[in-house]
Short mmCIF file of all heavy atoms in Angstrom, two decimals:
data_model
loop_
_atom_site.label_atom_id
_atom_site.label_comp_id
_atom_site.label_asym_id
_atom_site.label_seq_id
_atom_site.Cartn_x
_atom_site.Cartn_y
_atom_site.Cartn_z
N MET A 1 -43.76 -21.32 -36.77
CA MET A 1 -42.93 -20.24 -36.15
C MET A 1 -43.12 -19.00 -37.27
O MET A 1 -42.89 -19.27 -38.45
CB MET A 1 -41.48 -20.62 -36.07
CG MET A 1 -40.64 -19.52 -35.68
SD MET A 1 -38.99 -20.05 -35.36
CE MET A 1 -38.42 -19.95 -37.09
N LEU A 2 -43.42 -17.92 -36.84
CA LEU A 2 -43.49 -16.68 -37.67
C LEU A 2 -42.17 -15.90 -37.59
O LEU A 2 -41.66 -15.56 -36.64
CB LEU A 2 -44.63 -15.88 -37.27
CG LEU A 2 -45.97 -16.28 -37.71
CD1 LEU A 2 -47.02 -15.44 -37.20
CD2 LEU A 2 -46.15 -16.37 -39.12
N LYS A 3 -41.69 -15.66 -38.89
CA LYS A 3 -40.43 -14.88 -38.98
C LYS A 3 -40.69 -13.59 -39.55
O LYS A 3 -41.38 -13.45 -40.59
CB LYS A 3 -39.41 -15.70 -39.81
CG LYS A 3 -38.12 -14.94 -40.33
CD LYS A 3 -37.28 -14.67 -39.11
CE LYS A 3 -36.03 -13.85 -39.56
NZ LYS A 3 -35.46 -13.11 -38.38
N LYS A 4 -40.24 -12.60 -38.89
CA LYS A 4 -40.37 -11.13 -39.42
C LYS A 4 -39.32 -10.85 -40.44
O LYS A 4 -38.06 -11.06 -40.13
CB LYS A 4 -40.39 -10.11 -38.27
CG LYS A 4 -41.61 -10.02 -37.56
CD LYS A 4 -41.62 -8.92 -36.65
CE LYS A 4 -43.00 -8.78 -35.89
NZ LYS A 4 -42.81 -8.32 -34.53
N ILE A 5 -39.75 -10.34 -41.64
CA ILE A 5 -38.72 -10.03 -42.62
C ILE A 5 -38.85 -8.69 -43.07
O ILE A 5 -40.09 -8.15 -43.27
CB ILE A 5 -38.77 -11.00 -43.91
CG1 ILE A 5 -38.41 -12.36 -43.42
CG2 ILE A 5 -37.96 -10.48 -45.04
CD1 ILE A 5 -38.51 -13.39 -44.61
N LYS A 6 -37.90 -7.85 -43.11
CA LYS A 6 -38.05 -6.43 -43.53
C LYS A 6 -37.72 -6.43 -45.08
O LYS A 6 -36.77 -6.82 -45.48
CB LYS A 6 -37.02 -5.53 -42.88
CG LYS A 6 -37.38 -4.11 -42.91
CD LYS A 6 -36.44 -3.21 -42.25
CE LYS A 6 -36.76 -2.80 -40.84
NZ LYS A 6 -35.74 -1.89 -40.21
N CYS A 7 -38.70 -5.75 -45.77
CA CYS A 7 -38.48 -5.81 -47.24
C CYS A 7 -37.35 -4.86 -47.69
O CYS A 7 -37.32 -3.80 -47.24
CB CYS A 7 -39.86 -5.27 -47.82
SG CYS A 7 -39.75 -4.87 -49.70
N PRO A 8 -36.34 -5.45 -48.40
CA PRO A 8 -35.26 -4.65 -48.80
C PRO A 8 -35.57 -3.51 -49.75
O PRO A 8 -34.87 -2.57 -49.78
CB PRO A 8 -34.30 -5.77 -49.49
CG PRO A 8 -34.80 -6.96 -49.13
CD PRO A 8 -36.37 -6.82 -48.90
N ALA A 9 -36.73 -3.58 -50.34
CA ALA A 9 -37.12 -2.55 -51.27
C ALA A 9 -37.78 -1.29 -50.55
O ALA A 9 -37.51 -0.18 -50.84
CB ALA A 9 -38.05 -3.11 -52.38
N CYS A 10 -38.84 -1.65 -49.69
CA CYS A 10 -39.52 -0.58 -49.09
C CYS A 10 -39.42 -0.52 -47.53
O CYS A 10 -40.03 0.30 -46.90
CB CYS A 10 -40.95 -0.70 -49.52
SG CYS A 10 -41.82 -2.12 -48.86
N GLN A 11 -38.52 -1.42 -47.03
CA GLN A 11 -38.38 -1.49 -45.57
C GLN A 11 -39.55 -1.77 -44.75
O GLN A 11 -39.53 -1.50 -43.47
CB GLN A 11 -37.74 -0.01 -45.06
CG GLN A 11 -36.56 0.37 -45.84
CD GLN A 11 -35.41 -0.67 -45.85
OE1 GLN A 11 -35.13 -1.11 -44.74
NE2 GLN A 11 -34.90 -1.10 -46.97
N VAL A 12 -40.68 -2.18 -45.32
CA VAL A 12 -41.90 -2.57 -44.49
C VAL A 12 -41.71 -4.07 -44.04
O VAL A 12 -41.24 -4.91 -44.83
CB VAL A 12 -43.05 -2.43 -45.34
CG1 VAL A 12 -44.33 -3.22 -44.72
CG2 VAL A 12 -43.36 -0.97 -45.57
N GLU A 13 -42.06 -4.21 -42.76
CA GLU A 13 -41.86 -5.51 -42.18
C GLU A 13 -43.03 -6.49 -42.55
O GLU A 13 -44.19 -6.06 -42.40
CB GLU A 13 -41.81 -5.41 -40.67
CG GLU A 13 -40.61 -6.16 -40.07
CD GLU A 13 -40.35 -5.94 -38.61
OE1 GLU A 13 -41.42 -5.86 -37.89
OE2 GLU A 13 -39.24 -5.72 -38.30
N GLY A 14 -42.64 -7.59 -42.89
CA GLY A 14 -43.75 -8.65 -43.20
C GLY A 14 -43.46 -9.94 -42.47
O GLY A 14 -42.29 -10.06 -41.88
N THR A 15 -44.32 -10.78 -42.35
CA THR A 15 -44.05 -12.05 -41.68
C THR A 15 -44.20 -13.17 -42.60
O THR A 15 -44.95 -13.19 -43.68
CB THR A 15 -45.09 -12.30 -40.47
OG1 THR A 15 -46.34 -12.07 -40.92
CG2 THR A 15 -44.74 -11.36 -39.32
N MET A 16 -43.51 -14.24 -42.28
CA MET A 16 -43.59 -15.48 -43.03
C MET A 16 -43.46 -16.62 -42.05
O MET A 16 -42.76 -16.55 -41.14
CB MET A 16 -42.39 -15.43 -44.00
CG MET A 16 -41.98 -16.51 -44.78
SD MET A 16 -40.94 -15.99 -46.13
CE MET A 16 -39.43 -16.54 -45.42
N SER A 17 -44.26 -17.62 -42.38
CA SER A 17 -44.12 -18.81 -41.43
C SER A 17 -43.05 -19.84 -41.93
O SER A 17 -42.89 -20.16 -43.03
CB SER A 17 -45.57 -19.60 -41.31
OG SER A 17 -45.86 -20.07 -42.64
N LEU A 18 -42.19 -20.14 -40.96
CA LEU A 18 -41.07 -20.98 -41.34
C LEU A 18 -41.14 -22.37 -40.46
O LEU A 18 -41.55 -22.24 -39.27
CB LEU A 18 -39.76 -20.35 -40.87
CG LEU A 18 -39.33 -19.12 -41.82
CD1 LEU A 18 -37.93 -18.69 -41.28
CD2 LEU A 18 -39.26 -19.42 -43.23
N VAL A 19 -40.77 -23.30 -41.01
CA VAL A 19 -40.76 -24.65 -40.38
C VAL A 19 -39.46 -24.80 -39.60
O VAL A 19 -39.45 -25.32 -38.39
CB VAL A 19 -40.92 -25.80 -41.34
CG1 VAL A 19 -40.93 -27.14 -40.73
CG2 VAL A 19 -42.18 -25.63 -42.23
N GLU A 20 -38.34 -24.30 -40.17
CA GLU A 20 -37.14 -24.45 -39.57
C GLU A 20 -36.42 -23.05 -39.43
O GLU A 20 -36.93 -22.11 -40.05
CB GLU A 20 -36.14 -25.39 -40.36
CG GLU A 20 -36.68 -26.81 -40.36
CD GLU A 20 -35.96 -27.64 -41.29
OE1 GLU A 20 -34.70 -27.64 -41.17
OE2 GLU A 20 -36.52 -28.31 -42.14
N LEU A 21 -35.32 -22.98 -38.76
CA LEU A 21 -34.56 -21.71 -38.57
C LEU A 21 -33.78 -21.39 -39.90
O LEU A 21 -33.44 -20.15 -40.14
CB LEU A 21 -33.59 -21.90 -37.44
CG LEU A 21 -34.19 -21.89 -36.06
CD1 LEU A 21 -33.10 -22.06 -34.98
CD2 LEU A 21 -34.99 -20.59 -35.68
N ASP A 22 -33.65 -22.34 -40.63
CA ASP A 22 -32.82 -22.13 -41.92
C ASP A 22 -33.77 -22.13 -43.12
O ASP A 22 -34.62 -23.18 -43.25
CB ASP A 22 -31.74 -23.12 -42.18
CG ASP A 22 -30.56 -23.00 -41.16
OD1 ASP A 22 -30.62 -21.97 -40.25
OD2 ASP A 22 -29.67 -23.80 -41.09
N TYR A 23 -33.74 -21.23 -43.96
CA TYR A 23 -34.65 -21.12 -45.09
C TYR A 23 -34.07 -20.49 -46.28
O TYR A 23 -33.30 -19.45 -46.19
CB TYR A 23 -36.00 -20.46 -44.73
CG TYR A 23 -36.86 -20.09 -45.74
CD1 TYR A 23 -37.75 -21.13 -46.15
CD2 TYR A 23 -36.88 -18.85 -46.40
CE1 TYR A 23 -38.74 -20.81 -47.24
CE2 TYR A 23 -37.81 -18.55 -47.44
CZ TYR A 23 -38.68 -19.47 -47.84
OH TYR A 23 -39.60 -19.26 -48.95
N ILE A 24 -34.15 -20.98 -47.46
CA ILE A 24 -33.86 -20.30 -48.68
C ILE A 24 -35.05 -20.46 -49.63
O ILE A 24 -35.56 -21.59 -49.83
CB ILE A 24 -32.60 -20.97 -49.33
CG1 ILE A 24 -31.38 -20.78 -48.36
CG2 ILE A 24 -32.34 -20.25 -50.70
CD1 ILE A 24 -30.18 -21.51 -49.07
N GLY A 25 -35.62 -19.40 -50.00
CA GLY A 25 -36.71 -19.49 -50.92
C GLY A 25 -37.38 -18.19 -51.08
O GLY A 25 -36.82 -17.10 -50.71
N PRO A 26 -38.54 -18.27 -51.88
CA PRO A 26 -39.17 -16.96 -52.28
C PRO A 26 -39.74 -16.17 -51.10
O PRO A 26 -40.41 -16.94 -50.24
CB PRO A 26 -40.01 -17.32 -53.32
CG PRO A 26 -40.26 -18.75 -53.01
CD PRO A 26 -39.20 -19.35 -52.40
N TYR A 27 -39.74 -14.85 -51.06
CA TYR A 27 -40.53 -14.09 -50.18
C TYR A 27 -41.10 -12.96 -50.99
O TYR A 27 -40.48 -12.25 -51.74
CB TYR A 27 -39.58 -13.47 -48.98
CG TYR A 27 -40.31 -12.39 -48.27
CD1 TYR A 27 -41.34 -12.65 -47.44
CD2 TYR A 27 -39.90 -11.04 -48.55
CE1 TYR A 27 -41.84 -11.65 -46.70
CE2 TYR A 27 -40.53 -10.07 -47.79
CZ TYR A 27 -41.57 -10.41 -46.91
OH TYR A 27 -42.11 -9.35 -46.14
N ARG A 28 -42.49 -12.72 -50.78
CA ARG A 28 -42.98 -11.60 -51.54
C ARG A 28 -43.53 -10.47 -50.40
O ARG A 28 -44.22 -10.85 -49.51
CB ARG A 28 -44.28 -12.00 -52.37
CG ARG A 28 -44.69 -10.93 -53.10
CD ARG A 28 -46.11 -11.18 -53.76
NE ARG A 28 -46.26 -12.32 -54.63
CZ ARG A 28 -45.98 -12.23 -55.96
NH1 ARG A 28 -45.71 -11.08 -56.50
NH2 ARG A 28 -46.11 -13.24 -56.75
N CYS A 29 -43.18 -9.32 -50.72
CA CYS A 29 -43.53 -8.22 -49.82
C CYS A 29 -44.99 -8.01 -50.07
O CYS A 29 -45.45 -7.74 -51.05
CB CYS A 29 -42.68 -6.98 -50.16
SG CYS A 29 -43.36 -5.51 -49.20
N TRP A 30 -45.79 -7.91 -48.90
CA TRP A 30 -47.19 -7.74 -49.04
C TRP A 30 -47.56 -6.24 -49.37
O TRP A 30 -48.62 -5.97 -49.88
CB TRP A 30 -47.85 -7.99 -47.65
CG TRP A 30 -47.39 -7.09 -46.40
CD1 TRP A 30 -46.24 -7.42 -45.76
CD2 TRP A 30 -47.99 -5.97 -46.12
NE1 TRP A 30 -46.18 -6.40 -44.81
CE2 TRP A 30 -47.14 -5.47 -45.08
CE3 TRP A 30 -49.01 -5.16 -46.46
CZ2 TRP A 30 -47.35 -4.33 -44.33
CZ3 TRP A 30 -49.26 -3.93 -45.85
CH2 TRP A 30 -48.49 -3.46 -44.82
N LYS A 31 -46.60 -5.30 -49.16
CA LYS A 31 -46.85 -3.93 -49.30
C LYS A 31 -46.50 -3.60 -50.84
O LYS A 31 -47.38 -2.97 -51.60
CB LYS A 31 -45.89 -3.20 -48.41
CG LYS A 31 -46.01 -1.64 -48.57
CD LYS A 31 -47.18 -1.14 -47.79
CE LYS A 31 -47.27 0.40 -47.85
NZ LYS A 31 -48.45 0.94 -47.21
N CYS A 32 -45.22 -3.79 -51.27
CA CYS A 32 -44.78 -3.27 -52.58
C CYS A 32 -44.80 -4.36 -53.65
O CYS A 32 -44.59 -4.18 -54.78
CB CYS A 32 -43.48 -2.66 -52.51
SG CYS A 32 -42.03 -3.62 -52.29
N ARG A 33 -45.21 -5.62 -53.24
CA ARG A 33 -45.25 -6.85 -54.05
C ARG A 33 -43.96 -7.22 -54.71
O ARG A 33 -43.87 -7.97 -55.65
CB ARG A 33 -46.31 -6.61 -55.26
CG ARG A 33 -47.59 -6.01 -54.82
CD ARG A 33 -48.30 -6.99 -53.69
NE ARG A 33 -48.76 -8.14 -54.33
CZ ARG A 33 -49.27 -9.21 -53.66
NH1 ARG A 33 -49.25 -9.17 -52.30
NH2 ARG A 33 -49.63 -10.19 -54.26
N ALA A 34 -42.84 -6.75 -54.19
CA ALA A 34 -41.60 -7.09 -54.70
C ALA A 34 -41.25 -8.50 -54.31
O ALA A 34 -41.60 -8.99 -53.16
CB ALA A 34 -40.44 -6.15 -54.13
N LEU A 35 -40.47 -9.25 -55.22
CA LEU A 35 -40.29 -10.69 -55.03
C LEU A 35 -38.80 -10.78 -54.70
O LEU A 35 -37.90 -10.18 -55.38
CB LEU A 35 -40.66 -11.42 -56.13
CG LEU A 35 -41.94 -12.15 -56.29
CD1 LEU A 35 -42.00 -12.84 -57.66
CD2 LEU A 35 -42.05 -13.31 -55.21
N PHE A 36 -38.39 -11.62 -53.77
CA PHE A 36 -37.06 -11.89 -53.46
C PHE A 36 -36.83 -13.42 -53.20
O PHE A 36 -37.61 -14.04 -52.66
CB PHE A 36 -36.57 -11.16 -52.13
CG PHE A 36 -36.73 -9.58 -52.24
CD1 PHE A 36 -37.86 -9.02 -51.75
CD2 PHE A 36 -35.74 -8.91 -52.77
CE1 PHE A 36 -38.19 -7.74 -51.82
CE2 PHE A 36 -35.96 -7.51 -52.86
CZ PHE A 36 -37.12 -6.96 -52.39
N THR A 37 -35.60 -13.73 -53.46
CA THR A 37 -35.22 -15.03 -52.87
C THR A 37 -34.31 -14.67 -51.56
O THR A 37 -33.51 -13.93 -51.60
CB THR A 37 -34.15 -15.79 -53.86
OG1 THR A 37 -34.99 -16.01 -54.98
CG2 THR A 37 -33.86 -17.09 -53.21
N VAL A 38 -34.82 -15.13 -50.50
CA VAL A 38 -34.14 -14.79 -49.16
C VAL A 38 -33.41 -15.97 -48.64
O VAL A 38 -33.91 -17.18 -48.80
CB VAL A 38 -35.16 -14.24 -48.19
CG1 VAL A 38 -35.83 -12.93 -48.65
CG2 VAL A 38 -36.30 -15.29 -47.97
N GLU A 39 -32.41 -15.73 -47.92
CA GLU A 39 -31.79 -16.77 -47.21
C GLU A 39 -31.73 -16.48 -45.73
O GLU A 39 -31.20 -15.37 -45.37
CB GLU A 39 -30.20 -16.86 -47.78
CG GLU A 39 -29.59 -18.05 -47.04
CD GLU A 39 -28.15 -18.33 -47.67
OE1 GLU A 39 -27.76 -17.62 -48.66
OE2 GLU A 39 -27.52 -19.17 -47.18
N ILE A 40 -32.25 -17.40 -44.93
CA ILE A 40 -32.35 -17.17 -43.53
C ILE A 40 -31.54 -18.27 -42.75
O ILE A 40 -31.64 -19.43 -43.21
CB ILE A 40 -33.73 -17.12 -42.94
CG1 ILE A 40 -34.44 -15.97 -43.57
CG2 ILE A 40 -33.80 -17.16 -41.48
CD1 ILE A 40 -35.91 -16.01 -43.47
N LYS A 41 -30.55 -17.88 -42.00
CA LYS A 41 -29.73 -18.84 -41.26
C LYS A 41 -29.79 -18.59 -39.79
O LYS A 41 -29.60 -17.40 -39.37
CB LYS A 41 -28.29 -18.82 -41.68
CG LYS A 41 -28.00 -19.83 -42.73
CD LYS A 41 -26.56 -19.95 -43.05
CE LYS A 41 -26.40 -20.83 -44.30
NZ LYS A 41 -25.10 -20.50 -45.02
N ASN A 42 -30.11 -19.46 -38.86
CA ASN A 42 -30.33 -19.26 -37.52
C ASN A 42 -31.22 -18.12 -37.24
O ASN A 42 -30.80 -17.36 -36.38
CB ASN A 42 -28.87 -19.18 -36.87
CG ASN A 42 -28.15 -20.39 -37.05
OD1 ASN A 42 -28.59 -21.56 -36.80
ND2 ASN A 42 -26.80 -20.39 -37.25
N ASP A 43 -32.24 -18.01 -38.00
CA ASP A 43 -33.24 -17.01 -37.67
C ASP A 43 -32.73 -15.61 -38.23
O ASP A 43 -33.45 -14.59 -37.73
CB ASP A 43 -33.54 -17.01 -36.13
CG ASP A 43 -34.97 -16.58 -35.91
OD1 ASP A 43 -35.89 -16.53 -36.77
OD2 ASP A 43 -35.26 -16.00 -34.75
N GLU A 44 -31.81 -15.40 -38.85
CA GLU A 44 -31.38 -14.15 -39.34
C GLU A 44 -31.34 -14.05 -40.84
O GLU A 44 -31.01 -15.11 -41.57
CB GLU A 44 -29.91 -13.85 -38.82
CG GLU A 44 -29.70 -13.55 -37.36
CD GLU A 44 -30.26 -12.38 -37.00
OE1 GLU A 44 -30.24 -11.34 -37.75
OE2 GLU A 44 -30.68 -12.19 -35.79
N LEU A 45 -31.84 -13.08 -41.35
CA LEU A 45 -31.71 -12.80 -42.82
C LEU A 45 -30.42 -12.55 -43.25
O LEU A 45 -29.73 -11.41 -42.86
CB LEU A 45 -32.69 -11.64 -43.27
CG LEU A 45 -32.74 -11.32 -44.78
CD1 LEU A 45 -33.37 -12.49 -45.53
CD2 LEU A 45 -33.65 -10.07 -44.95
N VAL A 46 -29.67 -13.44 -43.99
CA VAL A 46 -28.25 -13.25 -44.25
C VAL A 46 -28.21 -12.79 -45.70
O VAL A 46 -27.09 -12.13 -46.03
CB VAL A 46 -27.46 -14.53 -44.10
CG1 VAL A 46 -27.34 -14.84 -42.56
CG2 VAL A 46 -27.98 -15.74 -44.85
N SER A 47 -29.03 -13.13 -46.67
CA SER A 47 -28.83 -12.56 -47.94
C SER A 47 -30.23 -12.54 -48.75
O SER A 47 -31.19 -13.30 -48.33
CB SER A 47 -27.90 -13.34 -48.78
OG SER A 47 -28.42 -14.55 -49.25
N TYR A 48 -30.31 -11.79 -49.72
CA TYR A 48 -31.51 -11.70 -50.61
C TYR A 48 -31.21 -11.30 -51.91
O TYR A 48 -30.14 -10.57 -52.22
CB TYR A 48 -32.53 -10.71 -49.91
CG TYR A 48 -32.12 -9.27 -50.02
CD1 TYR A 48 -32.33 -8.43 -51.10
CD2 TYR A 48 -31.49 -8.73 -48.91
CE1 TYR A 48 -31.86 -7.13 -51.17
CE2 TYR A 48 -30.97 -7.46 -48.94
CZ TYR A 48 -31.17 -6.66 -49.97
OH TYR A 48 -30.76 -5.37 -50.07
N LYS A 49 -31.95 -11.58 -52.95
CA LYS A 49 -31.74 -11.15 -54.26
C LYS A 49 -33.13 -11.04 -54.91
O LYS A 49 -34.00 -11.81 -54.65
CB LYS A 49 -30.69 -11.93 -55.11
CG LYS A 49 -31.14 -13.33 -55.40
CD LYS A 49 -30.21 -14.03 -56.27
CE LYS A 49 -30.61 -15.42 -56.71
NZ LYS A 49 -29.66 -16.23 -57.23
N TYR A 50 -33.23 -10.14 -55.79
CA TYR A 50 -34.38 -9.88 -56.44
C TYR A 50 -34.74 -11.16 -57.33
O TYR A 50 -33.96 -11.86 -57.83
CB TYR A 50 -34.46 -8.68 -57.39
CG TYR A 50 -34.63 -7.50 -56.67
CD1 TYR A 50 -33.58 -6.67 -56.24
CD2 TYR A 50 -35.88 -6.92 -56.37
CE1 TYR A 50 -33.64 -5.53 -55.49
CE2 TYR A 50 -36.08 -5.75 -55.74
CZ TYR A 50 -34.98 -5.08 -55.29
OH TYR A 50 -35.12 -3.91 -54.59
N LEU A 51 -36.11 -11.47 -57.31
CA LEU A 51 -36.59 -12.63 -58.08
C LEU A 51 -37.70 -12.21 -59.12
O LEU A 51 -38.53 -11.40 -58.69
CB LEU A 51 -37.18 -13.65 -56.96
CG LEU A 51 -37.72 -14.96 -57.47
CD1 LEU A 51 -36.62 -15.80 -58.06
CD2 LEU A 51 -38.37 -15.56 -56.31
N SER A 52 -37.72 -12.69 -60.20
CA SER A 52 -38.72 -12.21 -61.19
C SER A 52 -39.82 -13.30 -61.25
O SER A 52 -39.68 -14.38 -60.64
CB SER A 52 -38.17 -12.17 -62.72
OG SER A 52 -37.91 -13.55 -63.08
N GLU A 53 -41.03 -12.86 -61.58
CA GLU A 53 -42.16 -13.85 -61.54
C GLU A 53 -41.88 -15.13 -62.35
O GLU A 53 -42.23 -16.19 -61.89
CB GLU A 53 -43.36 -13.12 -62.28
CG GLU A 53 -43.81 -11.93 -61.49
CD GLU A 53 -44.80 -12.25 -60.36
OE1 GLU A 53 -45.22 -13.40 -60.23
OE2 GLU A 53 -45.01 -11.35 -59.45
N GLU A 54 -41.12 -14.95 -63.42
CA GLU A 54 -40.78 -16.06 -64.30
C GLU A 54 -39.93 -17.02 -63.50
O GLU A 54 -40.18 -18.37 -63.50
CB GLU A 54 -40.03 -15.60 -65.46
CG GLU A 54 -40.51 -16.17 -66.79
CD GLU A 54 -39.97 -15.41 -67.96
OE1 GLU A 54 -38.84 -15.70 -68.42
OE2 GLU A 54 -40.67 -14.60 -68.46
N GLU A 55 -38.84 -16.59 -62.74
CA GLU A 55 -38.00 -17.38 -62.06
C GLU A 55 -38.67 -18.04 -60.96
O GLU A 55 -38.51 -19.27 -60.61
CB GLU A 55 -36.84 -16.49 -61.51
CG GLU A 55 -35.72 -16.26 -62.43
CD GLU A 55 -34.78 -15.39 -61.74
OE1 GLU A 55 -34.83 -14.09 -61.79
OE2 GLU A 55 -33.86 -15.86 -61.02
N LEU A 56 -39.60 -17.30 -60.35
CA LEU A 56 -40.44 -17.94 -59.29
C LEU A 56 -41.22 -19.17 -59.75
O LEU A 56 -41.28 -20.16 -59.16
CB LEU A 56 -41.46 -16.86 -58.59
CG LEU A 56 -42.32 -17.47 -57.45
CD1 LEU A 56 -41.61 -17.89 -56.25
CD2 LEU A 56 -43.37 -16.44 -57.17
N LYS A 57 -41.87 -19.02 -60.96
CA LYS A 57 -42.59 -20.04 -61.52
C LYS A 57 -41.73 -21.20 -61.82
O LYS A 57 -42.17 -22.31 -61.52
CB LYS A 57 -43.20 -19.53 -62.86
CG LYS A 57 -44.61 -20.04 -63.14
CD LYS A 57 -45.26 -19.52 -64.33
CE LYS A 57 -46.01 -18.15 -64.05
NZ LYS A 57 -46.51 -17.56 -65.27
N LYS A 58 -40.53 -20.94 -62.33
CA LYS A 58 -39.60 -22.07 -62.59
C LYS A 58 -39.28 -22.82 -61.36
O LYS A 58 -39.24 -24.01 -61.29
CB LYS A 58 -38.32 -21.49 -63.17
CG LYS A 58 -38.25 -21.53 -64.73
CD LYS A 58 -36.90 -21.06 -65.28
CE LYS A 58 -37.08 -20.22 -66.39
NZ LYS A 58 -35.89 -19.32 -66.67
N GLN A 59 -38.96 -22.01 -60.24
CA GLN A 59 -38.56 -22.62 -58.94
C GLN A 59 -39.81 -23.61 -58.41
O GLN A 59 -39.60 -24.63 -57.99
CB GLN A 59 -38.30 -21.59 -58.00
CG GLN A 59 -36.95 -21.04 -58.08
CD GLN A 59 -36.68 -20.12 -56.92
OE1 GLN A 59 -37.38 -20.00 -55.91
NE2 GLN A 59 -35.60 -19.26 -57.07
N GLN A 60 -40.97 -22.99 -58.63
CA GLN A 60 -42.08 -23.72 -58.16
C GLN A 60 -42.32 -25.06 -58.91
O GLN A 60 -42.62 -26.16 -58.40
CB GLN A 60 -43.43 -22.87 -58.21
CG GLN A 60 -43.45 -21.93 -57.19
CD GLN A 60 -44.62 -20.92 -57.33
OE1 GLN A 60 -44.97 -20.72 -58.37
NE2 GLN A 60 -45.00 -20.30 -56.26
N GLU A 61 -42.13 -24.98 -60.22
CA GLU A 61 -42.22 -26.24 -61.09
C GLU A 61 -41.16 -27.25 -60.79
O GLU A 61 -41.50 -28.45 -60.73
CB GLU A 61 -42.15 -25.75 -62.63
CG GLU A 61 -43.45 -25.17 -63.19
CD GLU A 61 -43.20 -24.48 -64.52
OE1 GLU A 61 -42.23 -24.80 -65.16
OE2 GLU A 61 -44.13 -23.79 -64.89
N LEU A 62 -40.06 -26.64 -60.51
CA LEU A 62 -38.91 -27.60 -60.08
C LEU A 62 -39.21 -28.33 -58.84
O LEU A 62 -39.00 -29.51 -58.70
CB LEU A 62 -37.59 -26.72 -60.00
CG LEU A 62 -36.36 -27.52 -59.85
CD1 LEU A 62 -35.95 -28.14 -61.18
CD2 LEU A 62 -35.17 -26.49 -59.35
N ARG A 63 -39.84 -27.58 -57.85
CA ARG A 63 -40.19 -28.16 -56.58
C ARG A 63 -41.17 -29.16 -56.76
O ARG A 63 -41.19 -30.30 -56.11
CB ARG A 63 -40.59 -27.12 -55.63
CG ARG A 63 -40.56 -27.53 -54.18
CD ARG A 63 -40.71 -26.34 -53.15
NE ARG A 63 -39.62 -25.36 -53.42
CZ ARG A 63 -39.84 -24.10 -53.15
NH1 ARG A 63 -40.90 -23.61 -52.58
NH2 ARG A 63 -38.88 -23.26 -53.32
N GLU A 64 -42.22 -28.95 -57.59
CA GLU A 64 -43.28 -29.93 -57.91
C GLU A 64 -42.71 -31.18 -58.50
O GLU A 64 -43.09 -32.31 -58.09
CB GLU A 64 -44.28 -29.26 -58.77
CG GLU A 64 -45.36 -28.50 -58.05
CD GLU A 64 -46.22 -27.56 -58.96
OE1 GLU A 64 -46.39 -28.02 -60.15
OE2 GLU A 64 -46.70 -26.55 -58.58
N THR A 65 -41.79 -30.92 -59.46
CA THR A 65 -41.12 -32.17 -60.09
C THR A 65 -40.40 -32.95 -58.95
O THR A 65 -40.58 -34.23 -58.94
CB THR A 65 -40.15 -31.64 -61.09
OG1 THR A 65 -40.80 -30.75 -62.00
CG2 THR A 65 -39.79 -32.80 -61.95
N GLN A 66 -39.67 -32.32 -58.12
CA GLN A 66 -38.97 -32.99 -57.17
C GLN A 66 -39.84 -33.79 -56.13
O GLN A 66 -39.63 -34.84 -55.77
CB GLN A 66 -38.08 -32.06 -56.28
CG GLN A 66 -36.87 -31.56 -57.03
CD GLN A 66 -36.12 -30.35 -56.41
OE1 GLN A 66 -36.74 -29.77 -55.48
NE2 GLN A 66 -34.94 -30.13 -56.85
N ASN A 67 -40.97 -33.08 -55.85
CA ASN A 67 -42.07 -33.70 -54.90
C ASN A 67 -42.48 -34.98 -55.60
O ASN A 67 -42.77 -36.01 -54.77
CB ASN A 67 -43.08 -32.73 -54.57
CG ASN A 67 -42.55 -31.69 -53.62
OD1 ASN A 67 -41.67 -31.86 -52.95
ND2 ASN A 67 -43.40 -30.67 -53.45
N LYS A 68 -42.70 -34.92 -56.89
CA LYS A 68 -43.25 -35.91 -57.59
C LYS A 68 -42.24 -37.17 -57.55
O LYS A 68 -42.66 -38.36 -57.28
CB LYS A 68 -43.53 -35.66 -58.99
CG LYS A 68 -44.87 -36.09 -59.63
CD LYS A 68 -45.10 -35.51 -61.03
CE LYS A 68 -45.75 -34.26 -61.08
NZ LYS A 68 -45.62 -33.61 -62.54
N TYR A 69 -41.05 -36.98 -57.67
CA TYR A 69 -40.02 -38.04 -57.60
C TYR A 69 -39.97 -38.60 -56.30
O TYR A 69 -39.74 -39.85 -56.12
CB TYR A 69 -38.65 -37.40 -58.04
CG TYR A 69 -38.55 -37.45 -59.56
CD1 TYR A 69 -38.22 -36.18 -60.15
CD2 TYR A 69 -38.74 -38.59 -60.34
CE1 TYR A 69 -38.21 -36.18 -61.63
CE2 TYR A 69 -38.53 -38.53 -61.73
CZ TYR A 69 -38.32 -37.29 -62.36
OH TYR A 69 -38.25 -37.16 -63.68
N LYS A 70 -40.12 -37.78 -55.21
CA LYS A 70 -40.08 -38.19 -53.84
C LYS A 70 -41.16 -39.17 -53.55
O LYS A 70 -40.90 -40.23 -52.98
CB LYS A 70 -40.12 -37.10 -52.85
CG LYS A 70 -38.72 -36.54 -52.45
CD LYS A 70 -39.01 -35.47 -51.37
CE LYS A 70 -37.82 -34.49 -51.43
NZ LYS A 70 -38.18 -33.17 -50.91
N LYS A 71 -42.34 -38.83 -54.07
CA LYS A 71 -43.50 -39.84 -53.93
C LYS A 71 -43.21 -41.12 -54.55
O LYS A 71 -43.65 -42.13 -54.00
CB LYS A 71 -44.73 -39.16 -54.51
CG LYS A 71 -45.69 -38.56 -53.51
CD LYS A 71 -46.96 -37.99 -54.12
CE LYS A 71 -47.12 -36.47 -53.70
NZ LYS A 71 -48.07 -35.86 -54.51
N ASP A 72 -42.59 -41.15 -55.69
CA ASP A 72 -42.44 -42.45 -56.45
C ASP A 72 -41.50 -43.30 -55.75
O ASP A 72 -41.37 -44.63 -55.89
CB ASP A 72 -41.94 -42.08 -57.86
CG ASP A 72 -43.09 -41.50 -58.64
OD1 ASP A 72 -44.18 -41.63 -58.16
OD2 ASP A 72 -42.74 -40.94 -59.78
N ASP A 73 -40.61 -42.75 -54.82
CA ASP A 73 -39.63 -43.46 -54.10
C ASP A 73 -40.14 -44.69 -53.24
O ASP A 73 -41.04 -44.41 -52.49
CB ASP A 73 -38.66 -42.67 -53.25
CG ASP A 73 -37.44 -42.32 -54.03
OD1 ASP A 73 -37.24 -42.86 -55.13
OD2 ASP A 73 -36.58 -41.50 -53.45
ZN1 ZN B 1 -41.64 -3.99 -49.99
#
C-alpha cells in the first residue's frame, strides 16, 4: 500500500510503501532530503520529528541487531 506523506519542511508530497496502517519509522523527503521519524496511525500522519543521519544509522543498526536475535529464536 502506498501512503502519501507531505514533507513538514518543504510541503512536497512523497509516497512511501507501508505494510500496515500503523507505522513509526524514518521517512526521507525525495525533494529536500530532510529526514524525519514519522508516526502514522490508521493511515493518518499523527506526529513527526527531525531525524539526523547519525540517529537513522543507529536505528538501522538496532533493527539489524533485533532481526539477528529473531532469527536465532
Ligand atoms: Zn521536503
